Amino acid sequence: MITCFIRYRIDPHKRDAFETYARNWGQAIPRSGARLVGYFAPHEGSSTLAYGVYSIESLADYEAYRARLAADPLGRENYDFAMREKFLLEEERHFLKLASGPHAEFRDHGPAQARRQGENR
């Protein structure tokens, strides 16, 4: 399994357009055969950095996925939307493999967990 991390530099005045773009990929990417982790828009800190993250079995599978995505009507429409609205200033892809697995189970030890434990008593 490999994971594609897409780093975007976006126009900070067009964040709503990026969020529309992200929601559209949320439909087209899984339908085309990749496991979408999600798209992430700026919240705090940088107002221009955004990310898209999805996993696929191999680079060979990636090529077939890209062909299906290009043929998907929403995929084509979303690409055209980005070109027309010009909110993407830069885009770069990095393919990485998981190096830290298997992971231990997540245990929430924060204030919300303490409140939930108090409610269950």
Side-chain angles (χ1 to χ4, degrees):
M1 180 74 62
I2 57 173
T3 301
C4 180
F5 290 80
I6 308 169
R7 180 186 172 275
Y8 297 97
R9 191 167 60 83
I10 65 171
D11 181 329
H13 304 291
K14 296 183 178 182
R15 188 169 71 198
D16 289 345
F18 177 80
E19 290 178 3
T20 297
Y21 176 79
R23 284 189 301 276
N24 289 338
W25 285 136
Q27 300 303 308
I29 288 173
R31 189 166 58 222
S32 297
R35 294 181 187 142
L36 182 63
V37 174
Y39 272 73
F40 302 86
H43 179 68
E44 290 289 328
S46 172
S47 62
T48 61
L49 288 180
Y51 296 89
V53 182
Y54 63 88
S55 294
I56 198 138
E57 291 298 323
S58 67
L59 286 176
D61 290 327
Y62 172 75
E63 295 303 324
Y65 151 77
R66 292 288 292 179
R68 287 188 300 271
L69 190 61
D72 184 275
L74 183 56
R76 286 193 311 271
E77 181 182 315
N78 211 31
Y79 177 79
D80 292 343
F81 170 66
M83 295 300 102
R84 184 175 60 252
E85 297 299 320
K86 301 184 183 326
F87 53 87
L88 300 178
L89 306 177
E90 188 177 301
E91 178 178 341
E92 60 184 46
R93 281 178 174 70
H94 301 275
F95 294 91
L96 305 171
K97 65 178 184 172
L98 181 64
S100 63
H103 299 129
E105 183 179 322
F106 173 74
R107 295 182 189 240
D108 184 356
H109 296 289
Q113 176 67 19
R115 282 194 304 275
R116 284 192 300 271
Q117 286 176 343
E119 293 169 1
N120 292 333
R121 290 186 183 160

mmCIF file of all heavy atoms in Angstrom, residues 19-50:
data_model
loop_
_atom_site.group_PDB
_atom_site.id
_atom_site.type_symbol
_atom_site.label_atom_id
_atom_site.label_comp_id
_atom_site.label_asym_id
_atom_site.label_seq_id
_atom_site.Cartn_x
_atom_site.Cartn_y
_atom_site.Cartn_z
ATOM 1 N N GLU A 19 -12.715 24.132 -1.033
ATOM 2 C CA GLU A 19 -13.543 23.205 -0.266
ATOM 3 C C GLU A 19 -14.585 22.523 -1.155
ATOM 4 O O GLU A 19 -14.881 21.340 -0.966
ATOM 5 C CB GLU A 19 -14.165 23.921 0.922
ATOM 6 C CG GLU A 19 -13.094 24.273 1.961
ATOM 7 C CD GLU A 19 -13.607 25.040 3.162
ATOM 8 O OE1 GLU A 19 -14.836 25.278 3.266
ATOM 9 O OE2 GLU A 19 -12.770 25.417 3.999
ATOM 10 N N THR A 20 -15.115 23.228 -2.146
ATOM 11 C CA THR A 20 -16.014 22.612 -3.122
ATOM 12 C C THR A 20 -15.268 21.548 -3.917
ATOM 13 O O THR A 20 -15.752 20.427 -4.118
ATOM 14 C CB THR A 20 -16.602 23.680 -4.066
ATOM 15 O OG1 THR A 20 -17.383 24.589 -3.290
ATOM 16 C CG2 THR A 20 -17.450 23.063 -5.169
ATOM 17 N N TYR A 21 -14.072 21.895 -4.362
ATOM 18 C CA TYR A 21 -13.192 20.979 -5.099
ATOM 19 C C TYR A 21 -12.927 19.719 -4.268
ATOM 20 O O TYR A 21 -13.035 18.600 -4.762
ATOM 21 C CB TYR A 21 -11.904 21.753 -5.380
ATOM 22 C CG TYR A 21 -10.766 21.048 -6.038
ATOM 23 C CD1 TYR A 21 -10.759 20.825 -7.407
ATOM 24 C CD2 TYR A 21 -9.645 20.688 -5.300
ATOM 25 C CE1 TYR A 21 -9.656 20.237 -8.031
ATOM 26 C CE2 TYR A 21 -8.541 20.102 -5.912
ATOM 27 C CZ TYR A 21 -8.564 19.878 -7.277
ATOM 28 O OH TYR A 21 -7.473 19.303 -7.888
ATOM 29 N N ALA A 22 -12.632 19.904 -2.990
ATOM 30 C CA ALA A 22 -12.348 18.780 -2.092
ATOM 31 C C ALA A 22 -13.570 17.872 -1.948
ATOM 32 O O ALA A 22 -13.440 16.640 -1.998
ATOM 33 C CB ALA A 22 -11.909 19.311 -0.730
ATOM 34 N N ARG A 23 -14.745 18.446 -1.750
ATOM 35 C CA ARG A 23 -15.954 17.630 -1.616
ATOM 36 C C ARG A 23 -16.232 16.833 -2.887
ATOM 37 O O ARG A 23 -16.651 15.674 -2.828
ATOM 38 C CB ARG A 23 -17.155 18.510 -1.254
ATOM 39 C CG ARG A 23 -17.162 18.946 0.208
ATOM 40 C CD ARG A 23 -18.451 19.622 0.605
ATOM 41 N NE ARG A 23 -18.754 20.808 -0.171
ATOM 42 C CZ ARG A 23 -18.270 22.028 0.084
ATOM 43 N NH1 ARG A 23 -17.468 22.211 1.112
ATOM 44 N NH2 ARG A 23 -18.601 23.049 -0.670
ATOM 45 N N ASN A 24 -15.986 17.440 -4.045
ATOM 46 C CA ASN A 24 -16.180 16.717 -5.311
ATOM 47 C C ASN A 24 -15.235 15.528 -5.412
ATOM 48 O O ASN A 24 -15.644 14.439 -5.815
ATOM 49 C CB ASN A 24 -15.991 17.649 -6.505
ATOM 50 C CG ASN A 24 -17.118 18.643 -6.631
ATOM 51 O OD1 ASN A 24 -18.217 18.436 -6.121
ATOM 52 N ND2 ASN A 24 -16.857 19.740 -7.309
ATOM 53 N N TRP A 25 -13.966 15.719 -5.035
ATOM 54 C CA TRP A 25 -13.026 14.596 -5.055
ATOM 55 C C TRP A 25 -13.456 13.534 -4.051
ATOM 56 O O TRP A 25 -13.182 12.348 -4.229
ATOM 57 C CB TRP A 25 -11.602 15.049 -4.778
ATOM 58 C CG TRP A 25 -10.932 15.743 -5.916
ATOM 59 C CD1 TRP A 25 -10.174 16.876 -5.830
ATOM 60 C CD2 TRP A 25 -10.920 15.370 -7.305
ATOM 61 N NE1 TRP A 25 -9.716 17.236 -7.075
ATOM 62 C CE2 TRP A 25 -10.151 16.324 -8.001
ATOM 63 C CE3 TRP A 25 -11.495 14.340 -8.023
ATOM 64 C CZ2 TRP A 25 -9.931 16.266 -9.372
ATOM 65 C CZ3 TRP A 25 -11.289 14.283 -9.406
ATOM 66 C CH2 TRP A 25 -10.517 15.237 -10.057
ATOM 67 N N GLY A 26 -14.136 13.951 -2.986
ATOM 68 C CA GLY A 26 -14.636 13.004 -1.995
ATOM 69 C C GLY A 26 -15.599 11.989 -2.579
ATOM 70 O O GLY A 26 -15.781 10.908 -2.027
ATOM 71 N N GLN A 27 -16.208 12.311 -3.704
ATOM 72 C CA GLN A 27 -17.087 11.385 -4.415
ATOM 73 C C GLN A 27 -16.321 10.640 -5.506
ATOM 74 O O GLN A 27 -16.438 9.429 -5.648
ATOM 75 C CB GLN A 27 -18.257 12.154 -5.046
ATOM 76 C CG GLN A 27 -19.109 12.900 -4.041
ATOM 77 C CD GLN A 27 -19.672 11.987 -2.982
ATOM 78 O OE1 GLN A 27 -20.274 10.964 -3.303
ATOM 79 N NE2 GLN A 27 -19.479 12.322 -1.724
ATOM 80 N N ALA A 28 -15.565 11.372 -6.316
ATOM 81 C CA ALA A 28 -14.932 10.796 -7.510
ATOM 82 C C ALA A 28 -13.751 9.880 -7.188
ATOM 83 O O ALA A 28 -13.569 8.860 -7.853
ATOM 84 C CB ALA A 28 -14.481 11.918 -8.454
ATOM 85 N N ILE A 29 -12.942 10.211 -6.204
ATOM 86 C CA ILE A 29 -11.746 9.416 -5.904
ATOM 87 C C ILE A 29 -12.098 8.009 -5.427
ATOM 88 O O ILE A 29 -11.601 7.033 -5.996
ATOM 89 C CB ILE A 29 -10.808 10.162 -4.924
ATOM 90 C CG1 ILE A 29 -10.138 11.328 -5.663
ATOM 91 C CG2 ILE A 29 -9.777 9.219 -4.314
ATOM 92 C CD1 ILE A 29 -9.315 12.233 -4.785
ATOM 93 N N PRO A 30 -12.979 7.846 -4.425
ATOM 94 C CA PRO A 30 -13.313 6.466 -4.021
ATOM 95 C C PRO A 30 -13.996 5.683 -5.144
ATOM 96 O O PRO A 30 -13.743 4.487 -5.304
ATOM 97 C CB PRO A 30 -14.262 6.665 -2.834
ATOM 98 C CG PRO A 30 -13.964 8.032 -2.322
ATOM 99 C CD PRO A 30 -13.571 8.835 -3.527
ATOM 100 N N ARG A 31 -14.826 6.343 -5.908
ATOM 101 C CA ARG A 31 -15.513 5.680 -7.019
ATOM 102 C C ARG A 31 -14.525 5.190 -8.068
ATOM 103 O O ARG A 31 -14.778 4.220 -8.774
ATOM 104 C CB ARG A 31 -16.509 6.687 -7.621
ATOM 105 C CG ARG A 31 -17.432 6.133 -8.626
ATOM 106 C CD ARG A 31 -18.583 7.070 -8.936
ATOM 107 N NE ARG A 31 -18.170 8.371 -9.405
ATOM 108 C CZ ARG A 31 -18.742 9.516 -9.012
ATOM 109 N NH1 ARG A 31 -19.721 9.514 -8.146
ATOM 110 N NH2 ARG A 31 -18.330 10.661 -9.494
ATOM 111 N N SER A 32 -13.360 5.848 -8.147
ATOM 112 C CA SER A 32 -12.343 5.487 -9.140
ATOM 113 C C SER A 32 -11.343 4.465 -8.626
ATOM 114 O O SER A 32 -10.462 4.039 -9.361
ATOM 115 C CB SER A 32 -11.621 6.746 -9.615
ATOM 116 O OG SER A 32 -12.544 7.607 -10.266
ATOM 117 N N GLY A 33 -11.438 4.086 -7.332
ATOM 118 C CA GLY A 33 -10.634 2.975 -6.850
ATOM 119 C C GLY A 33 -9.556 3.276 -5.835
ATOM 120 O O GLY A 33 -8.787 2.390 -5.486
ATOM 121 N N ALA A 34 -9.479 4.497 -5.313
ATOM 122 C CA ALA A 34 -8.496 4.794 -4.267
ATOM 123 C C ALA A 34 -9.202 4.927 -2.922
ATOM 124 O O ALA A 34 -10.400 5.204 -2.865
ATOM 125 C CB ALA A 34 -7.740 6.083 -4.592
ATOM 126 N N ARG A 35 -8.454 4.711 -1.844
ATOM 127 C CA ARG A 35 -8.987 4.856 -0.481
ATOM 128 C C ARG A 35 -8.695 6.279 -0.011
ATOM 129 O O ARG A 35 -7.573 6.580 0.399
ATOM 130 C CB ARG A 35 -8.340 3.852 0.450
ATOM 131 C CG ARG A 35 -8.696 2.437 0.100
ATOM 132 C CD ARG A 35 -8.060 1.461 1.073
ATOM 133 N NE ARG A 35 -8.294 0.112 0.588
ATOM 134 C CZ ARG A 35 -7.423 -0.855 0.663
ATOM 135 N NH1 ARG A 35 -6.244 -0.651 1.214
ATOM 136 N NH2 ARG A 35 -7.713 -2.040 0.192
ATOM 137 N N LEU A 36 -9.700 7.121 -0.070
ATOM 138 C CA LEU A 36 -9.519 8.524 0.297
ATOM 139 C C LEU A 36 -9.462 8.678 1.810
ATOM 140 O O LEU A 36 -10.364 8.234 2.522
ATOM 141 C CB LEU A 36 -10.672 9.363 -0.266
ATOM 142 C CG LEU A 36 -10.600 10.860 -0.010
ATOM 143 C CD1 LEU A 36 -9.373 11.476 -0.681
ATOM 144 C CD2 LEU A 36 -11.866 11.538 -0.498
ATOM 145 N N VAL A 37 -8.369 9.290 2.295
ATOM 146 C CA VAL A 37 -8.272 9.670 3.698
ATOM 147 C C VAL A 37 -9.031 10.977 3.868
ATOM 148 O O VAL A 37 -9.845 11.132 4.760
ATOM 149 C CB VAL A 37 -6.806 9.811 4.147
ATOM 150 C CG1 VAL A 37 -6.713 10.348 5.567
ATOM 151 C CG2 VAL A 37 -6.081 8.481 4.015
ATOM 152 N N GLY A 38 -8.767 11.946 2.990
ATOM 153 C CA GLY A 38 -9.495 13.207 3.025
ATOM 154 C C GLY A 38 -8.722 14.350 2.415
ATOM 155 O O GLY A 38 -7.546 14.223 2.060
ATOM 156 N N TYR A 39 -9.416 15.454 2.293
ATOM 157 C CA TYR A 39 -8.842 16.723 1.861
ATOM 158 C C TYR A 39 -8.890 17.658 3.051
ATOM 159 O O TYR A 39 -9.861 17.654 3.809
ATOM 160 C CB TYR A 39 -9.629 17.302 0.682
ATOM 161 C CG TYR A 39 -9.114 16.797 -0.639
ATOM 162 C CD1 TYR A 39 -9.347 15.501 -1.049
ATOM 163 C CD2 TYR A 39 -8.344 17.613 -1.453
ATOM 164 C CE1 TYR A 39 -8.848 15.014 -2.240
ATOM 165 C CE2 TYR A 39 -7.832 17.140 -2.652
ATOM 166 C CZ TYR A 39 -8.089 15.853 -3.040
ATOM 167 O OH TYR A 39 -7.580 15.379 -4.219
ATOM 168 N N PHE A 40 -7.841 18.436 3.215
ATOM 169 C CA PHE A 40 -7.691 19.286 4.382
ATOM 170 C C PHE A 40 -7.429 20.723 3.939
ATOM 171 O O PHE A 40 -6.479 20.987 3.202
ATOM 172 C CB PHE A 40 -6.538 18.774 5.261
ATOM 173 C CG PHE A 40 -6.754 17.354 5.708
ATOM 174 C CD1 PHE A 40 -6.365 16.287 4.901
ATOM 175 C CD2 PHE A 40 -7.372 17.084 6.913
ATOM 176 C CE1 PHE A 40 -6.583 14.974 5.298
ATOM 177 C CE2 PHE A 40 -7.596 15.765 7.319
ATOM 178 C CZ PHE A 40 -7.194 14.720 6.505
ATOM 179 N N ALA A 41 -8.289 21.637 4.398
ATOM 180 C CA ALA A 41 -8.180 23.057 4.059
ATOM 181 C C ALA A 41 -7.527 23.807 5.215
ATOM 182 O O ALA A 41 -7.543 23.333 6.357
ATOM 183 C CB ALA A 41 -9.576 23.623 3.777
ATOM 184 N N PRO A 42 -6.980 24.985 4.956
ATOM 185 C CA PRO A 42 -6.367 25.766 6.033
ATOM 186 C C PRO A 42 -7.356 26.056 7.161
ATOM 187 O O PRO A 42 -8.536 26.295 6.918
ATOM 188 C CB PRO A 42 -5.958 27.074 5.333
ATOM 189 C CG PRO A 42 -5.854 26.727 3.890
ATOM 190 C CD PRO A 42 -6.884 25.662 3.663
ATOM 191 N N HIS A 43 -6.843 26.027 8.372
ATOM 192 C CA HIS A 43 -7.665 26.355 9.538
ATOM 193 C C HIS A 43 -6.929 27.357 10.430
ATOM 194 O O HIS A 43 -7.405 28.437 10.666
ATOM 195 C CB HIS A 43 -8.020 25.089 10.317
ATOM 196 C CG HIS A 43 -8.839 25.347 11.529
ATOM 197 N ND1 HIS A 43 -10.131 25.789 11.452
ATOM 198 C CD2 HIS A 43 -8.553 25.238 12.849
ATOM 199 C CE1 HIS A 43 -10.614 25.954 12.674
ATOM 200 N NE2 HIS A 43 -9.671 25.626 13.541
ATOM 201 N N GLU A 44 -5.771 26.978 10.917
ATOM 202 C CA GLU A 44 -4.905 27.855 11.712
ATOM 203 C C GLU A 44 -3.539 27.870 11.057
ATOM 204 O O GLU A 44 -3.171 26.947 10.352
ATOM 205 C CB GLU A 44 -4.774 27.334 13.156
ATOM 206 C CG GLU A 44 -6.023 27.460 13.976
ATOM 207 C CD GLU A 44 -6.368 28.890 14.345
ATOM 208 O OE1 GLU A 44 -5.439 29.710 14.523
ATOM 209 O OE2 GLU A 44 -7.562 29.194 14.434
ATOM 210 N N GLY A 45 -2.772 28.885 11.316
ATOM 211 C CA GLY A 45 -1.431 28.966 10.728
ATOM 212 C C GLY A 45 -1.509 29.458 9.299
ATOM 213 O O GLY A 45 -2.154 30.450 9.008
ATOM 214 N N SER A 46 -0.906 28.742 8.399
ATOM 215 C CA SER A 46 -0.876 29.133 6.996
ATOM 216 C C SER A 46 -2.282 29.207 6.419
ATOM 217 O O SER A 46 -3.117 28.335 6.656
ATOM 218 C CB SER A 46 -0.057 28.132 6.177
ATOM 219 O OG SER A 46 -0.183 28.426 4.799
ATOM 220 N N SER A 47 -2.529 30.234 5.638
ATOM 221 C CA SER A 47 -3.829 30.354 4.976
ATOM 222 C C SER A 47 -3.757 29.875 3.535
ATOM 223 O O SER A 47 -4.739 29.964 2.803
ATOM 224 C CB SER A 47 -4.299 31.814 5.021
ATOM 225 O OG SER A 47 -3.388 32.637 4.315
ATOM 226 N N THR A 48 -2.599 29.349 3.136
ATOM 227 C CA THR A 48 -2.427 28.957 1.733
ATOM 228 C C THR A 48 -2.114 27.481 1.535
ATOM 229 O O THR A 48 -2.101 27.020 0.395
ATOM 230 C CB THR A 48 -1.304 29.776 1.068
ATOM 231 O OG1 THR A 48 -0.073 29.524 1.743
ATOM 232 C CG2 THR A 48 -1.616 31.264 1.085
ATOM 233 N N LEU A 49 -1.859 26.728 2.601
ATOM 234 C CA LEU A 49 -1.518 25.313 2.447
ATOM 235 C C LEU A 49 -2.733 24.424 2.667
ATOM 236 O O LEU A 49 -3.469 24.593 3.640
ATOM 237 C CB LEU A 49 -0.417 24.895 3.419
ATOM 238 C CG LEU A 49 0.971 25.410 3.113
ATOM 239 C CD1 LEU A 49 1.961 24.922 4.167
ATOM 240 C CD2 LEU A 49 1.427 24.990 1.738
ATOM 241 N N ALA A 50 -2.922 23.479 1.752
ATOM 242 C CA ALA A 50 -4.003 22.505 1.847
ATOM 243 C C ALA A 50 -3.441 21.159 1.389
ATOM 244 O O ALA A 50 -2.410 21.104 0.716
ATOM 245 C CB ALA A 50 -5.179 22.932 0.976
#
